[in-house]
Amino acid sequence: MKRKERWKSGWYQFSSDLDRALGQGIFLAAVLVIAAAIILPGGKDLFPDAEKIAKGLEAGYHTTLFRKGLSGEAVVFLLPLVSTLPYAASWLDERKNGYWKAYMPRTTKEKYAVSRITANAAGGGLCSALGYFLAYLILALIYRPMEAAAETPAISFGALALGGAAVFLMGVFWAGAGFLCSLLFRNRYMIYGGPFLLSYLMVIITSRYLPGVYTLNPREWLAMEHYWEGGSLGAAAFLAEISLLSMLAQYLMLKRRLEE
């Protein structure tokens, strides 16, 4: 019975944190920013001229726009910032207002740490993935009716789902990076700026000085310009690994902070 009550208590705490991460307006804003970052790089191709429309757009036009946006710089550099918005600052806010000291007698350090870290991961991952799927849906609804018929889909459901999984895991990783910055620096600006700077440094270092370690280049995680074992599935597995390592580091560091 006690074990069941502990499980219920842990689940209630996590569901409360998840509601805080997903139930705020900033979460919806993050979804819309990601969708815009994918759509807007289409530029003038978003507005085909009347002659082109009259002849019919080429098959897969919406997919071409979607892939162009995913491989653009906007997504690479906005994801690290936007994915931290829903919940990466949770611990720092609770530390500053003293909430966690009042709450700790009703829970354990382990439950507190797991709940905050997983809710942050869910917030960062879901806002990124929902923005990804929303961008595809908007492009498909607008341009697909104007496209020439295709014998096979321009992008399969499996490929679309794998891409969404990769974007979700990127959001998890960058949200975790923001949470780590809150624990290391205890500064709100670093929560949002830290992951952006880390992404920029990873791109510069791996592009200019360590091209052989392209798996650590955030541009590669979506564009996949080099060989990946298992293709998109391999890239998603790599992102899952580094996300789990990041969450472990967050757990150990947060427990240490709670004991101070």
Side-chain angles (χ1 to χ4, degrees), residues 146-208:
M146 298 185 283
E147 296 174 12
E151 294 182 3
T152 58
I155 183 171
S156 67
F157 176 78
L160 186 66
L162 275 176
V167 172
F168 174 85
L169 291 166
M170 288 174 69
V172 170
F173 176 75
W174 291 125
F179 199 90
L180 278 173
C181 286
S182 75
L183 295 169
L184 286 169
F185 303 105
R186 306 183 193 186
N187 181 287
R188 179 173 288 274
Y189 295 107
M190 286 304 298
I191 294 173
Y192 308 123
F196 175 84
L197 291 173
L198 177 61
S199 174
Y200 181 78
L201 287 173
M202 289 170 72
V203 168
I204 295 299
I205 292 172
T206 53
S207 297
R208 296 185 181 179

Side-chain angles (χ1 to χ4, degrees), residues 72-141:
E73 296 293 297
V75 175
V76 173
F77 290 112
L78 274 176
L79 263 177
L81 172 62
V82 176
S83 59
T84 62
L85 295 177
Y87 211 56
S90 59
W91 175 78
L92 186 64
D93 290 340
E94 291 179 358
R95 178 179 178 274
K96 287 185 175 180
N97 61 29
Y99 172 82
W100 72 276
K101 288 185 178 179
Y103 187 76
M104 285 307 296
R106 291 179 286 172
T107 186
T108 64
K109 296 182 180 68
E110 291 78 11
K111 286 181 182 178
Y112 180 92
V114 169
S115 180
R116 296 310 186 271
I117 291 165
T118 50
N120 177 54
L126 286 173
C127 75
S128 303
L130 289 176
Y132 167 93
F133 287 114
L134 178 61
Y136 180 81
L137 179 62
I138 291 172
L139 291 172
L141 287 174

Side-chain angles (χ1 to χ4, degrees), residues 22-38:
L22 307 184
Q24 303 180 69
I26 193 66
F27 177 81
L28 177 59
V31 172
L32 296 176
V33 169
I34 295 300
I38 297 173

Side-chain angles (χ1 to χ4, degrees), residues 44-65 138-151 154:
K44 63 180 182 181
D45 292 332
L46 293 172
F47 307 97
D49 56 49
E51 183 181 351
K52 194 172 184 180
I53 293 175
K55 292 180 179 178
L57 301 178
E58 60 267 24
Y61 189 84
H62 71 286
T63 304
T64 302
L65 290 174
I138 291 172
L139 291 172
L141 287 174
I142 294 174
Y143 299 103
R144 193 168 184 179
M146 298 185 283
E147 296 174 12
E151 294 182 3

